[in-house]
C-alpha cells in the first residue's frame, strides 16, 4: 500500500509583463528562496515556466497556517521588489497537497 504525505502549498500563477522568466528565476534564487527558508514549516520552493509568458511559483509548507503566514510575507516582498512591475499575479491559491510517490535527493 502506498503511504500518503500531506502538506500545504501556496501556488501563484504569474504573467511576465517585462523581462524574462530567467530574470525572475535569478531573483528567486537570490531573494525569495532564502526568504522562505527562514519561515517555520518551509519544505520546498519551485518555479515552473508554463509558456506563453507565464510561470507558476509553488512553495510547500507543513501546514495551512504556515502557508497562510508565508503568503502574506511573500506578497509584500514581491510588491516591494524591483520586479513589482515585471510580473502580474493571475491567481494566488493555497491548498492541501497529497503526495503519493516521491524520490528524495539532496536539493539545491
Amino acid at each position: 500500500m502506498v503511504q500518503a504525505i500531506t502538506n500545504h502549498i501556496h501556488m501563484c500563477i504569474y504573467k511576465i509583463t517585462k523581462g524574462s522568466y530567467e530574470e525572475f528565476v535569478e531573483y528567486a534564487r537570490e531573494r525569495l528562496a532564502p526568504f522562505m527558508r527562514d519561515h517555520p514549516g518551509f519544505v520546498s520552493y519551485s518555479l515552473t515556466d508554463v509558456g506563453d509568458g507565464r510561470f507558476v511559483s509553488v512553495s510547500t509548507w507543513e501546514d495551512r497556517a504556515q502557508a497562510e503566514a508565508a503568503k502574506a510575507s511573500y506578497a509584500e516582498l514581491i510588491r516591494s521588489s524591483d520586479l513589482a512591475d515585471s510580473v502580474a499575479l493571475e491567481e494566488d491559491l493555497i491548498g492541501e497537497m497529497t503526495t503519493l510517490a516521491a524520490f528524495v535527493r539532496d536539493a539545491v
Side-chain angles (χ1 to χ4, degrees):
M1 183 165 140
V2 174
Q3 282 196 315
I5 300 169
T6 301
N7 292 107
H8 285 76
I9 62 164
H10 175 218
M11 179 171 56
C12 296
I13 302 171
Y14 289 99
K15 177 77 174 172
I16 299 169
T17 57
K18 181 172 57 174
S20 68
Y21 172 72
E22 290 76 19
E23 288 172 319
F24 193 87
V25 169
E26 189 57 34
Y27 176 79
R29 181 179 288 121
E30 292 175 5
R31 300 280 314 275
L32 297 175
F35 172 80
M36 285 192 224
R37 281 186 189 131
D38 290 341
H39 280 75
F42 174 77
V43 176
S44 67
Y45 176 59
S46 61
L47 299 170
T48 303
D49 183 351
V50 294
D52 198 27
R54 297 169 66 221
F55 68 93
V56 179
S57 164
V58 178
S59 57
T60 306
W61 304 88
E62 292 174 356
D63 65 38
R64 186 176 188 93
Q66 293 161 336
E68 293 281 358
K71 175 181 174 177
S73 298
Y74 179 84
E76 181 55 36
L77 185 60
I78 295 292
R79 277 194 298 273
S80 65
S81 77
D82 295 340
L83 295 177
D85 295 331
S86 300
V87 295
L89 180 63
E90 293 183 342
E91 285 197 67
D92 191 351
L93 308 163
I94 289 182
E96 184 175 294
M97 176 180 71
T98 303
T99 302
L100 300 174
F103 177 77
V104 178
R105 61 182 171 163
D106 291 337
V108 287

